[in-house]
Every structure is written in structure tokens, then in C-alpha cells.
């Protein structure tokens, strides 16, 4: 148990170090812009594809289940709330974890095993300020934007299935959606997505910069980042949901 507690403590110390650097030195705007493109723009296709088919599947499954109770017309309510509060933020974060988290861990891990990070320190540079802070801040900015587009496309996918296959008019789907979903549903999802982005990218930077053992170590750091990152998303989602429902 003690090694795991030490690992958690080391992770939070790394987070504190990054936060202190952000407050003290700010963030390099050029590097931040580059990371926004890498994390956000290049993740957009896979996030949108996932959201579209999630909305379509959700509409099909919801209609199948609710038809037994004569409530098939409420498909729009379920699709909208499920995507805005849970599926949009969680699935977007998982896609970013698989794509960006693995990439960041591999990139920083390669720099660690080739001693580039040590060389940066020897030359008086700050690896946290150069390598970590821009990525974490970019994730905090980008993830809510990805979730907004994912929510909209997922709802459109549900609408498409409702009209084409379920014989539900677009007007009925829309009215049932807007009569149920609120701004709070969207804002809760956006808050979650920002937290997920920070946790996942910070974990990737942490694992990458602590990599040892050559190329084998890089592979282990990448795998560990994706696995632990996915678990962190689900665990933090539970506690964030409990917290938000309490207020």
C-alpha cells in the first residue's frame, strides 16, 4: 500500500509544482497555441465520430426500451441529458486520453530516456514551464470546446435516427429536448471535461518525464498513461457528479 500512496503523493507534488510555475511564470503563448492545435484540432475528427454514433445508438436503445411503456416520444429528453451531463464529457475525455495522453507520454518519455530533459535543466531551462504547463493549460481550454461540438453532433445523430427510423418528427424531438435540458446540464458537463483534460494530460506529462529504461520504458509509460488515465476519468466522474448534484 505504501508504494501506491507514495506514487499518489508524488503525482500531487508534480501538480503543485506545475500550478506554482503557472502562477509565477504564466504560460508561453506560442507553445500554448501549438498545443491547442495538437490536442484540440487534431482530436476533433475522432471525438465527433464517436459522438455521432453514440447519439445514434443511444436513440435506438432508448426508443427500444421506452416503447414498452408507450414513452417512445421522450427519446429526445434522454439523448440530450445523457450526452450533455455524462456521455459527451466522458467519451470525449477517453478519446483524448487514448490519442493525446499516449502521444504526450511517448514524446516526453523519449526526451527523458535520451536525457534531453536533463540537458534542459543543465542549461538553466525549466522543463515544467516549457513541456508541462502549456499542455495542461491547452487541455483545460480545449476539452470544453470538444465537448460542446460532441454534444451537438451527438444530439443531431439522435435526431437523425428519430426521424429516419423511429417515425418521430423532428419538431417533437426538438420540443422534448428543449423542454427538459437546461443550461446547468451543459455547464456541469463542461466543468467535468475541463477537470478530465487537466488530470489526463498532467498524468501523461508525469509518466513521460519519469520514464526510465529506454524504449521499453517509453512503451510502459504510454500504456500506463492510457490505462490509469481511463480509470481516473471514471473515478473522478463519479465524485464530480456527486458534488454537482449536491448543489
Amino acid at each position: 500500500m505504501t508504494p501506491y500512496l507514495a506514487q499518489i503523493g508524488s503525482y500531487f507534488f508534480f501538480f503543485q509544482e506545475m500550478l506554482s510555475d503557472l502562477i509565477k511564470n504564466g504560460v508561453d503563448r506560442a507553445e500554448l497555441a501549438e498545443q491547442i492545435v495538437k490536442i484540440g484540432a487534431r482530436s476533433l475528427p475522432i471525438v465527433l465520430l464517436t459522438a455521432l454514433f453514440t447519439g445514434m445508438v443511444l436513440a435506438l436503445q432508448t426508443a427500444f426500451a421506452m416503447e414498452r411503456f408507450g414513452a417512445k416520444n421522450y427519446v429526445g429528453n434522454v439523448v440530450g441529458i445523457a450526452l450533455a451531463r455524462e456521455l459527451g464529457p466522458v467519451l470525449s475525455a477517453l478519446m483524448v486520453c487514448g490519442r493525446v495522453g499516449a502521444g504526450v507520454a511517448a514524446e516526453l518519455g523519449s526526451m527523458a530516456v535520451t536525457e534531453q530533459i536533463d540537458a534542459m535543466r543543465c542549461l538553466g531551462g525549466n522543463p515544467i514551464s516549457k513541456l508541462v504547463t502549456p499542455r495542461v493549460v491547452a487541455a483545460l481550454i480545449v476539452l470544453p470546446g470538444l465537448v460542446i461540438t460532441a454534444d451537438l453532433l451527438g444530439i443531431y445523430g439522435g435526431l437523425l435516427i428519430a426521424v429516419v427510423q423511429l417515425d418521430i418528427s423532428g419538431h417533437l424531438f426538438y420540443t422534448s429536448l428543449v423542454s427538459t435540458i437546461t443550461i446547468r446540464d451543459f455547464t456541469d458537463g463542461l466543468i467535468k471535461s475541463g477537470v478530465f483534460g487537466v488530470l489526463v494530460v498532467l498524468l501523461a506529462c508525469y509518466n513521460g518525464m519519469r520514464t526510465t529504461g529506454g524504449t521499453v520504458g517509453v512503451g510502459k509509460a504510454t500504456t500506463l498513461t492510457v490505462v490509469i488515465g481511463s480509470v481516473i476519468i471514471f473515478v473522478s466522474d463519479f465524485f464530480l457528479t456527486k458534488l454537482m448534484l449536491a448543489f
Side-chain angles (χ1 to χ4, degrees), residues 60-188:
L60 278 174
Q61 292 283 18
T62 302
F64 176 76
M66 298 181 73
E67 192 172 19
R68 304 174 186 177
F69 310 102
K72 188 173 77 169
N73 291 337
Y74 295 99
V75 168
N77 307 53
V78 177
V79 170
I81 291 176
L83 283 170
R85 296 192 70 93
E86 288 297 328
L87 294 179
V90 171
L91 292 179
S92 298
L94 288 173
M95 292 300 102
V96 170
C97 179
R99 182 193 171 278
V100 176
V104 169
E107 181 181 357
L108 298 189
S110 298
M111 294 179 68
V113 299
T114 55
E115 300 181 351
Q116 294 180 54
I117 295 176
D118 293 335
M120 189 181 297
R121 289 193 180 99
C122 291
L123 293 173
N126 185 351
I128 298 294
S129 183
K130 179 67 176 176
L131 302 175
V132 178
T133 304
R135 288 173 167 83
V136 174
V137 175
L140 179 62
I141 295 171
V142 159
L143 258 294
L146 288 175
V147 168
I148 290 173
T149 55
D151 288 345
L152 294 176
L153 196 62
I155 290 172
Y156 177 77
L159 171 64
L160 185 65
I161 291 297
V163 172
V164 173
Q165 189 162 348
L166 303 178
D167 295 324
I168 299 174
S169 69
H171 177 72
L172 179 59
F173 185 94
Y174 173 77
T175 53
S176 66
L177 178 69
V178 298
S179 66
T180 304
I181 199 167
T182 63
I183 296 297
R184 174 69 185 273
D185 296 322
F186 280 106
T187 55
D188 283 356

